[in-house]
Amino acid sequence: MAKRLTFEEIIGKEFRWPQPGDDPFYIDEDGSNHAALADDDFTRFVLMFEGYRRSADFLVDKALEDWREADFLIYPILFLYRHALELNLKYIINVYGPHVGVDAIWNTHEFEELWGRFLKVLDGFGTDDPDNADQIVGGVIAQFGNVDPRSFSYRYPRDNRGNPIPLVQDRMNLEMLKDVMDGVFGYFKGTDGYLSDLANV
């Protein structure tokens, strides 16, 4: 109790303190404030890559509304966008790769390997790229791979050996970031629809 009272004195207001019976996984009869967790892994896959992307978009909007929040939110924003990219690549590889002899890949976070396998899927279907979208998206993904090779840089200040993780840059244009990511995720949606038609999925 002393910790709570001391902290309340410091910040000058009451705040939520742990209470007996706290259960973060409590389910009540009402259900109006519940979120559903999908039973099957395919549905969960889609909800995850879309959910991470939407969460990043939401946080960008919040940061743009109130710049006092931006320096707190930039780390989850970058992590969420990166993870959404990774899941989109793994989704395309997993769903369409078997149609053209490309195995799924689950044991890496590295974009160089994922992007290479993704391109093998596209090549297997013989897709055209008249507007060079593959090259543009590949460039964006390579940038994420350069600034955060193994998905650690925006989750931890130090690596697993205790060394500080250097960041490539110290500022981000949030409006540009969101706009570019809109294009990238639009590309993945278009690719999914195109390959689905070719594979008759």
Side-chain angles (χ1 to χ4, degrees):
M1 194 61 70
K3 286 184 285 189
R4 177 180 66 81
L5 293 174
T6 300
F7 191 62
E8 285 180 351
E9 287 175 4
I10 291 171
I11 64 173
K13 62 180 180 181
E14 292 184 12
F15 67 100
R16 170 68 158 85
W17 193 252
Q19 300 172 8
D22 278 354
D23 178 359
F25 295 95
Y26 170 74
I27 301 295
D28 59 29
E29 294 297 323
D30 178 7
S32 62
N33 57 354
H34 294 176
L37 297 167
D39 287 334
D40 69 284
D41 67 316
F42 181 81
T43 302
R44 211 158 49 237
F45 207 165
V46 175
L47 292 172
M48 281 179 175
F49 70 66
E50 189 63 28
Y52 282 109
R53 180 268 172 102
R54 290 185 188 191
S55 297
D57 285 346
F58 178 84
L59 291 179
V60 169
D61 291 342
K62 177 67 177 171
L64 291 173
E65 287 171 14
D66 184 354
W67 277 98
R68 294 170 298 180
E69 299 292 333
D71 293 348
F72 295 101
L73 299 179
I74 187 58
Y75 304 103
I77 286 167
L78 288 168
F79 169 73
L80 290 165
Y81 275 140
R82 190 204 187 284
H83 199 55
L85 288 174
E86 181 180 329
L87 286 174
N88 271 273
L89 288 169
K90 288 180 175 177
Y91 172 82
I92 297 289
I93 295 164
N94 179 66
V95 172
Y96 301 107
H99 294 274
V100 290
V102 178
D103 293 331
I105 184 168
W106 300 105
N107 61 349
T108 187
H109 299 292
E110 296 184 25
F111 282 136
E112 187 173 354
E113 191 169 352
L114 291 169
W115 182 250
R117 198 165 298 203
F118 172 84
L119 290 179
K120 285 182 182 178
V121 174
L122 297 186
D123 289 343
F125 279 97
T127 61
D128 293 323
D129 185 27
D131 50 8
N132 293 319
D134 296 348
Q135 183 179 349
I136 296 166
V137 171
V140 172
I141 289 173
Q143 285 183 282
F144 269 87
N146 288 336
V147 301
D148 191 4
R150 293 180 178 84
S151 193
F152 279 97
S153 301
Y154 300 109
R155 289 193 292 160
Y156 305 104
R158 292 177 178 258
D159 64 22
N160 53 15
R161 293 180 179 160
N163 300 312
I165 297 174
L167 299 181
V168 173
Q169 60 192 73
D170 62 1
R171 300 186 73 76
M172 292 293 302
N173 180 326
L174 291 173
E175 288 182 337
M176 179 63 74
L177 173 65
K178 185 180 178 189
D179 183 56
V180 169
M181 299 314 291
D182 280 347
V184 170
F185 292 118
Y187 165 88
F188 280 120
K189 277 190 178 174
T191 300
D192 182 21
Y194 183 64
L195 295 181
S196 176
D197 187 56
L198 292 177
N200 295 313
V201 174

